[in-house]
Amino acid sequence: MAVIVREKQFYKTFFTLTLTIALQNLVVYGVNLADNIMLGAYSETAMSGVALVNQIQFFLQMLVVGSTEGITILASRSWGRREIKPIHGISQIGMVIALFLSALLWLVCLLFPTGILTLFTNELAVIEEGARYLRIVSFSYLFYAVSAVMISTLRSVETVNIGFIVSLFSLVVNIGLNYVLIFGKLGFPVLGVEGAAIATLLSRVVEVVVCVIYMKRFDKKLRMPMRAYFEKIDFSVMRSFLKVSWPVMMSGSIWGLAMSIQSAILGHMGQQAIAANSVASTVFSMITVVAYGSANATSVLIGKTIGEGRIDAVKLYAKTIQLLFLGIGICTGALMYICTDWILVLYKLAPDTLALARTFLIILSITCVGSAYQMPCLCGIVRGGGQTDFVLYNDLIFQWLIVLPSALLAAFVFDLSPVIVFICLKSDQVLKCFVAVVKVNRFRWIRIIDKT
């Protein structure tokens, strides 16, 4: 048996999916970068407040990812069997769950914005700015859920261009409205963080409008009418969906909560640490888009191949893709290290804050090699193969028994610097590689899921 794949179509499919999804993510993170730069020019306190709210947005994304991953895993297998009708029911159930979870988070944020932010920091000025932003931007959570489900449904049948198109429209709207509303241009009042929140909300509305128009007018694969989302739910499909997606939902929720606690740890180390972490996280997200795109691409590719019944091909694909992950990680780490200073000149922040952000980025340029390997191995190969509960248990062990305890001790018992605390928070990205290489190459993650 061959050691690596020799099929040109495999590489064409993998890199087409990866790069298209990466471009979409790049545009999405470009919105966050624009917010960071513009709010940083307006006020470092405002930027810090919005950075904390973005952790709530990240938690929402982790909740919704349970639905979107469930759609990808089940729908891609139906696509591999060329069965289109079941995908409609799968998408409908994913939409119901995503909207329910988003509505709950929206309601909590709308009613208790200040109370939530006090969990992240005790800086009163930062909390005040963040609460002003959260009261408005929380309305965008429902629109985000709708567009995320639609994009995931289309992606599962290898329609990935729409994600990039939607994100590009969102970027243009967000940047334009940010400039006008934050700084009070073209006759508008200076709204600061509230202007940024309005810009984000309207850009989310635009995303949904573009998705609906595409599915109604241009999609030729799914041919899914909008009324399909309002039809009677097929509970047999619901059972299959929950069996696959509940571990992903739990994993996402636990991961999102852990990330929020990580931000709270740094948040209680001062406004400088909050701002530096915001800069580093945004830059990291933009530069690692190919690594994260490869995870989504792999999940579709593995799921489709299993749906076709080609199990030997799945094993060969898994071996080859691991080598691609390593190559992507090394290139990403080198790029991040080289570009650090060029990116930081865009920010108008205090010198000490920029110096701390630079140190954070150097650390991330090392750990991202591990991230680029283990994350797509576990979330792309293992989860796409059908064993969706493994990532949940793995995250529970690493986040709650290693990362968070070590960071809490470093920050509040030994009173170590934010740099040491940051290293503790990112240590799992390297440690998980040892788990990933063993897990993937045993191939026990290949699961044949009942047809839906």
Side-chain angles (χ1 to χ4, degrees):
M1 184 176 179
V3 178
I4 62 172
V5 177
R6 307 272 182 197
E7 308 165 16
K8 290 184 179 179
Q9 185 60 40
F10 164 79
Y11 293 101
K12 181 180 178 181
T13 302
F14 175 81
F15 283 112
T16 299
L17 288 172
T18 295
L19 294 177
T20 307
I21 296 170
L23 280 174
Q24 176 200 340
N25 291 338
L26 183 63
V27 175
V28 170
Y29 294 131
V31 173
N32 293 336
L33 180 63
D35 282 348
N36 265 263
I37 293 172
M38 291 185 182
L39 285 170
Y42 173 76
S43 163
E44 187 173 316
T45 302
M47 190 188 82
S48 298
V50 172
L52 295 184
V53 176
N54 285 342
Q55 293 304 311
I56 301 173
Q57 170 70 25
F58 179 76
F59 182 65
L60 169 69
Q61 292 172 352
M62 292 298 99
L63 290 176
V64 173
V65 81
S67 293
T68 59
E69 285 291 322
I71 291 170
T72 299
I73 293 167
L74 291 175
S76 63
R77 294 183 181 212
S78 289
W79 176 241
R81 298 190 295 263
R82 289 301 186 266
E83 296 173 356
I84 303 301
K85 184 62 177 176
I87 300 177
H88 296 182
I90 293 166
S91 184
Q92 177 201 27
I93 292 167
M95 182 71 77
V96 170
I97 294 172
L99 278 174
F100 175 73
L101 295 173
S102 301
L104 284 180
L105 188 60
W106 162 70
L107 191 60
V108 171
C109 292
L110 184 66
L111 296 176
F112 311 105
T114 302
I116 292 174
L117 292 174
T118 54
L119 300 174
F120 291 91
T121 184
N122 51 12
E123 298 277 345
L124 295 179
V126 174
I127 292 172
E128 182 180 350
E129 290 290 288
R132 290 170 58 201
Y133 182 82
L134 182 57
R135 289 188 184 96
I136 298 171
V137 85
S138 60
F139 285 89
S140 72
Y141 295 170
L142 298 172
F143 294 99
Y144 167 77
V146 173
S147 61
V149 167
M150 289 183 173
I151 290 171
S152 178
T153 303
L154 290 163
R155 184 182 293 165
S156 67
V157 296
E158 299 179 89
T159 301
V160 291
N161 292 335
I162 181 58
F164 173 70
I165 295 169
V166 168
S167 300
L168 188 60
F169 271 97
S170 179
L171 176 65
V172 172
V173 170
N174 190 269
I175 290 178
L177 291 177
N178 267 345
Y179 177 74
V180 170
L181 299 177
I182 291 175
F183 302 106
K185 304 295 182 180
L186 302 179
F188 285 86
V190 178
L191 296 178
V193 291
E194 291 174 336
I198 294 170
T200 299
L201 173 58
L202 293 178
S203 67
R204 294 299 187 197
V205 174
V206 168
E207 288 179 1
V208 172
V209 171
V210 175
C211 283
V212 171
I213 291 173
Y214 184 87
M215 291 188 76
K216 286 177 67 69
R217 299 292 183 185
F218 300 101
D219 172 56
K220 302 300 182 185
K221 296 178 181 178
L222 286 171
R223 300 185 183 277
M224 181 176 178
M226 291 299 104
R227 66 176 180 274
Y229 286 113
F230 303 96
E231 293 176 350
K232 184 178 179 180
I233 293 176
D234 185 336
F235 285 96
S236 64
V237 178
M238 171 76 85
R239 285 191 293 272
S240 295
F241 188 94
L242 290 176
K243 181 179 179 180
V244 168
S245 63
W246 82 261
V248 185
M249 292 180 198
M250 289 298 299
S251 178
S253 301
I254 290 168
W255 179 261
L257 179 60
M259 292 300 101
S260 298
I261 294 173
Q262 289 189 22
S263 296
I265 293 171
L266 289 170
H268 283 84
M269 301 187 79
Q271 181 176 322
Q272 184 185 93
I274 298 173
N277 184 49
S278 174
V279 171
S281 298
T282 301
V283 174
F284 174 80
S285 297
M286 290 194 67
I287 293 180
T288 56
V289 289
V290 175
Y292 283 82
S294 69
N296 288 306
T298 299
S299 185
V300 173
L301 192 58
I302 293 292
K304 179 187 174 185
T305 308
I306 292 176
E308 293 169 342
R310 299 190 295 129
I311 304 304
D312 286 340
V314 171
K315 295 179 180 180
L316 184 57
Y317 288 176
K319 292 178 180 179
T320 303
I321 289 172
Q322 289 178 77
L323 298 176
L324 298 177
F325 292 158
L326 281 175
I328 290 170
I330 293 169
C331 293
T332 300
L335 180 64
M336 184 177 298
Y337 183 81
I338 293 169
C339 294
T340 292
D341 290 331
W342 297 347
I343 294 171
L344 292 178
V345 298
L346 299 173
Y347 287 90
K348 296 180 180 179
L349 301 173
D352 288 346
T353 303
L354 287 175
L356 186 59
R358 185 179 187 279
T359 303
F360 284 178
L361 281 169
I362 291 173
I363 294 168
L364 289 174
S365 70
I366 298 170
T367 62
C368 79
V369 178
S371 300
Y373 174 74
Q374 61 83 15
M375 188 278 299
C377 273
L378 298 175
C379 296
I381 297 176
V382 176
R383 188 179 279 172
Q387 191 177 0
T388 56
D389 58 351
F390 182 80
V391 177
L392 168 61
Y393 302 135
N394 196 54
D395 285 343
L396 279 171
I397 293 170
F398 278 98
Q399 281 293 327
W400 297 91
L401 298 182
I402 299 175
V403 170
L404 293 178
S406 65
L408 287 167
L409 288 171
F412 304 118
V413 177
F414 299 110
D415 197 26
L416 300 178
S417 70
V419 173
I420 301 300
V421 174
F422 193 77
I423 291 172
C424 292
L425 293 174
K426 303 304 173 185
S427 61
D428 64 318
Q429 299 305 303
V430 175
L431 296 175
K432 286 180 180 177
C433 291
F434 299 101
V435 175
V437 71
V438 173
K439 180 64 180 178
V440 170
N441 292 293
R442 285 183 174 176
F443 302 110
R444 296 174 184 172
W445 41 268
I446 300 174
R447 304 291 169 87
I448 307 300
I449 301 171
D450 292 337
K451 292 184 179 182
T452 54

Coordinates of all heavy atoms in Angstrom, one line a residue, residues 217-254:
R217 N -31.3 31.8 -5.3 CA -31.1 32.2 -6.7 C -30.0 31.4 -7.5 O -30.0 31.2 -8.7 CB -30.9 33.7 -6.8 CG -32.0 34.5 -6.3 CD -33.2 34.4 -7.2 NE -34.3 35.3 -6.7 CZ -35.6 35.3 -7.2 NH1 -35.8 34.5 -8.2 NH2 -36.5 36.1 -6.7
F218 N -28.9 31.1 -6.7 CA -27.7 30.6 -7.4 C -27.3 29.2 -7.1 O -26.6 28.6 -7.9 CB -26.6 31.6 -7.0 CG -26.8 33.0 -7.5 CD1 -27.2 33.9 -6.5 CD2 -26.7 33.4 -8.8 CE1 -27.4 35.3 -6.9 CE2 -26.9 34.7 -9.2 CZ -27.3 35.6 -8.2
D219 N -27.7 28.6 -5.9 CA -27.3 27.3 -5.6 C -27.9 26.2 -6.5 O -29.2 26.3 -6.8 CB -27.7 27.0 -4.1 CG -27.5 25.5 -3.8 OD1 -26.4 25.1 -3.9 OD2 -28.5 24.8 -3.4
K220 N -27.1 25.4 -7.1 CA -27.6 24.3 -8.0 C -27.4 22.9 -7.4 O -27.8 22.0 -8.1 CB -26.8 24.4 -9.3 CG -26.9 25.8 -10.0 CD -28.3 26.2 -10.4 CE -28.3 27.5 -11.1 NZ -29.7 27.9 -11.4
K221 N -26.8 22.8 -6.3 CA -26.6 21.5 -5.7 C -27.7 21.1 -4.7 O -28.3 20.0 -4.8 CB -25.3 21.4 -5.0 CG -24.1 21.6 -5.9 CD -22.8 21.6 -5.1 CE -21.6 21.7 -6.1 NZ -20.3 21.8 -5.3
L222 N -27.9 21.9 -3.7 CA -28.9 21.6 -2.7 C -30.4 21.8 -3.1 O -31.2 21.1 -2.8 CB -28.6 22.5 -1.4 CG -27.4 22.1 -0.6 CD1 -27.1 23.1 0.5 CD2 -27.6 20.7 0.1
R223 N -30.6 23.0 -3.8 CA -31.9 23.4 -4.2 C -32.8 23.4 -3.0 O -33.9 22.8 -3.0 CB -32.5 22.5 -5.3 CG -31.6 22.6 -6.6 CD -32.2 21.8 -7.7 NE -31.4 21.8 -8.9 CZ -31.3 22.8 -9.8 NH1 -32.1 23.8 -9.6 NH2 -30.5 22.7 -10.8
M224 N -32.4 24.0 -1.9 CA -33.1 23.9 -0.6 C -34.0 25.2 -0.5 O -33.4 26.3 -0.3 CB -32.2 23.8 0.6 CG -32.8 23.7 1.9 SD -31.6 23.5 3.2 CE -32.7 23.5 4.7
P225 N -35.3 25.1 -0.5 CA -36.1 26.3 -0.3 C -36.1 26.7 1.1 O -35.9 25.9 2.1 CB -37.5 25.8 -0.7 CG -37.5 24.3 -0.4 CD -36.1 23.8 -0.7
M226 N -36.3 28.0 1.4 CA -36.3 28.6 2.7 C -37.4 28.0 3.6 O -37.2 27.9 4.8 CB -36.4 30.1 2.7 CG -35.2 30.8 2.1 SD -33.7 30.6 3.0 CE -32.8 29.4 2.0
R227 N -38.5 27.6 3.0 CA -39.6 27.0 3.8 C -39.2 25.7 4.4 O -39.8 25.2 5.4 CB -40.8 26.8 2.9 CG -40.7 25.7 1.8 CD -42.0 25.5 1.1 NE -41.8 24.5 0.0 CZ -41.4 24.8 -1.2 NH1 -41.1 26.0 -1.5 NH2 -41.3 23.8 -2.1
A228 N -38.1 25.0 3.9 CA -37.6 23.8 4.5 C -37.2 24.0 6.0 O -37.3 23.0 6.8 CB -36.5 23.2 3.7
Y229 N -36.8 25.2 6.3 CA -36.4 25.4 7.7 C -37.6 25.5 8.6 O -37.4 25.5 9.9 CB -35.6 26.7 7.8 CG -34.2 26.6 7.2 CD1 -33.8 27.3 6.1 CD2 -33.2 25.8 7.9 CE1 -32.5 27.2 5.6 CE2 -31.9 25.7 7.4 CZ -31.6 26.4 6.2 OH -30.3 26.2 5.8
F230 N -38.8 25.6 8.1 CA -40.0 25.8 8.9 C -40.9 24.6 8.9 O -42.0 24.6 9.4 CB -40.8 27.0 8.5 CG -40.0 28.3 8.5 CD1 -39.3 28.8 7.4 CD2 -39.8 29.0 9.7 CE1 -38.6 29.9 7.4 CE2 -39.1 30.2 9.7 CZ -38.4 30.6 8.6
E231 N -40.5 23.5 8.2 CA -41.3 22.3 8.1 C -41.2 21.5 9.4 O -40.4 21.7 10.2 CB -40.8 21.5 6.9 CG -41.1 22.2 5.5 CD -40.6 21.4 4.4 OE1 -39.8 20.4 4.6 OE2 -40.9 21.8 3.2
K232 N -42.1 20.5 9.5 CA -42.1 19.6 10.6 C -40.8 18.9 10.7 O -40.2 18.3 9.8 CB -43.2 18.6 10.5 CG -43.4 17.7 11.7 CD -44.6 16.8 11.6 CE -44.8 15.9 12.8 NZ -45.9 15.0 12.6
I233 N -40.2 18.8 11.9 CA -38.9 18.2 12.2 C -39.0 16.7 12.1 O -40.0 16.1 12.7 CB -38.3 18.6 13.5 CG1 -38.0 20.1 13.5 CG2 -37.1 17.8 13.9 CD1 -37.5 20.7 14.8
D234 N -38.1 16.0 11.4 CA -38.0 14.6 11.4 C -37.2 14.1 12.6 O -36.0 14.4 12.6 CB -37.4 14.1 10.1 CG -37.3 12.6 9.9 OD1 -37.4 11.9 11.0 OD2 -37.2 12.1 8.8
F235 N -37.8 13.5 13.6 CA -37.1 13.2 14.8 C -36.1 12.1 14.7 O -35.2 11.9 15.5 CB -38.1 12.9 15.9 CG -38.8 14.2 16.5 CD1 -40.0 14.6 16.0 CD2 -38.1 14.9 17.4 CE1 -40.6 15.7 16.5 CE2 -38.7 16.1 17.9 CZ -40.0 16.5 17.4
S236 N -36.2 11.3 13.6 CA -35.2 10.2 13.4 C -33.9 10.9 13.0 O -32.8 10.5 13.3 CB -35.7 9.2 12.3 OG -35.9 9.9 11.1
V237 N -34.0 12.0 12.2 CA -32.9 12.7 11.8 C -32.3 13.5 13.0 O -31.1 13.6 13.2 CB -33.2 13.7 10.6 CG1 -32.0 14.6 10.3 CG2 -33.7 13.0 9.4
M238 N -33.2 14.0 13.8 CA -32.8 14.7 15.1 C -32.0 13.8 15.9 O -30.9 14.2 16.5 CB -34.0 15.1 15.8 CG -33.8 15.7 17.2 SD -33.1 17.4 17.2 CE -34.6 18.3 17.1
R239 N -32.4 12.5 16.1 CA -31.6 11.6 16.9 C -30.2 11.4 16.4 O -29.2 11.3 17.1 CB -32.3 10.2 17.1 CG -33.5 10.3 18.0 CD -34.1 8.9 18.3 NE -34.7 8.3 17.1 CZ -35.9 8.4 16.8 NH1 -36.7 9.2 17.5 NH2 -36.4 7.8 15.7
S240 N -30.1 11.1 15.1 CA -28.8 11.0 14.4 C -27.9 12.2 14.6 O -26.7 12.1 14.8 CB -29.0 10.6 12.9 OG -29.6 9.4 12.8
F241 N -28.6 13.4 14.4 CA -27.9 14.6 14.5 C -27.3 14.8 15.9 O -26.1 15.2 16.1 CB -28.8 15.8 14.1 CG -28.1 17.1 14.0 CD1 -27.6 17.5 12.8 CD2 -27.8 17.9 15.1 CE1 -27.0 18.8 12.6 CE2 -27.2 19.1 15.0 CZ -26.8 19.6 13.7
L242 N -28.1 14.6 16.9 CA -27.7 14.8 18.3 C -26.6 13.8 18.7 O -25.7 14.2 19.5 CB -28.9 14.8 19.2 CG -29.9 15.9 19.1 CD1 -31.1 15.7 20.1 CD2 -29.2 17.2 19.5
K243 N -26.7 12.6 18.2 CA -25.7 11.6 18.5 C -24.3 12.0 18.1 O -23.3 11.8 18.8 CB -26.1 10.3 17.9 CG -25.1 9.1 18.2 CD -25.6 7.8 17.5 CE -24.6 6.7 17.8 NZ -25.0 5.4 17.1
V244 N -24.3 12.7 16.9 CA -23.0 13.1 16.3 C -22.6 14.5 16.9 O -21.4 14.7 17.3 CB -23.1 13.2 14.8 CG1 -21.9 14.0 14.2 CG2 -23.2 11.9 14.2
S245 N -23.6 15.4 17.1 CA -23.2 16.8 17.4 C -23.1 17.1 18.9 O -22.5 18.1 19.2 CB -24.2 17.7 16.7 OG -25.5 17.5 17.2
W246 N -23.8 16.3 19.8 CA -23.8 16.8 21.1 C -22.4 16.8 21.7 O -22.0 17.7 22.5 CB -24.7 15.9 22.0 CG -24.2 14.6 22.5 CD1 -24.4 13.4 22.0 CD2 -23.3 14.4 23.6 NE1 -23.7 12.4 22.7 CE2 -23.1 13.0 23.7 CE3 -22.7 15.2 24.6 CZ2 -22.2 12.4 24.7 CZ3 -21.9 14.7 25.5 CH2 -21.7 13.3 25.6
P247 N -21.5 15.8 21.4 CA -20.1 15.9 21.9 C -19.4 17.1 21.4 O -18.6 17.7 22.1 CB -19.4 14.6 21.4 CG -20.5 13.7 21.1 CD -21.6 14.5 20.6
V248 N -19.7 17.5 20.1 CA -19.1 18.7 19.6 C -19.6 20.0 20.3 O -18.8 20.9 20.6 CB -19.3 18.8 18.0 CG1 -18.6 20.0 17.4 CG2 -19.0 17.5 17.3
M249 N -20.9 20.0 20.6 CA -21.5 21.1 21.3 C -20.8 21.2 22.7 O -20.5 22.3 23.1 CB -23.0 20.9 21.4 CG -23.7 21.1 20.1 SD -25.5 20.8 20.4 CE -26.1 20.5 18.8
M250 N -20.7 20.1 23.4 CA -20.1 20.1 24.7 C -18.7 20.5 24.6 O -18.2 21.3 25.5 CB -20.3 18.7 25.3 CG -21.7 18.3 25.7 SD -22.4 19.4 27.0 CE -21.2 19.2 28.3
S251 N -18.0 20.0 23.7 CA -16.5 20.3 23.5 C -16.4 21.8 23.2 O -15.5 22.5 23.8 CB -15.9 19.5 22.4 OG -14.6 19.9 22.2
G252 N -17.2 22.3 22.3 CA -17.2 23.7 22.0 C -17.5 24.6 23.2 O -16.9 25.7 23.4
S253 N -18.5 24.2 23.9 CA -18.9 25.0 25.1 C -17.8 25.0 26.1 O -17.5 26.1 26.7 CB -20.2 24.4 25.7 OG -21.2 24.4 24.8
I254 N -17.2 23.9 26.4 CA -16.1 23.8 27.4 C -14.9 24.5 26.9 O -14.3 25.2 27.7 CB -15.8 22.3 27.6 CG1 -16.9 21.6 28.4 CG2 -14.5 22.1 28.4 CD1 -16.8 20.1 28.4

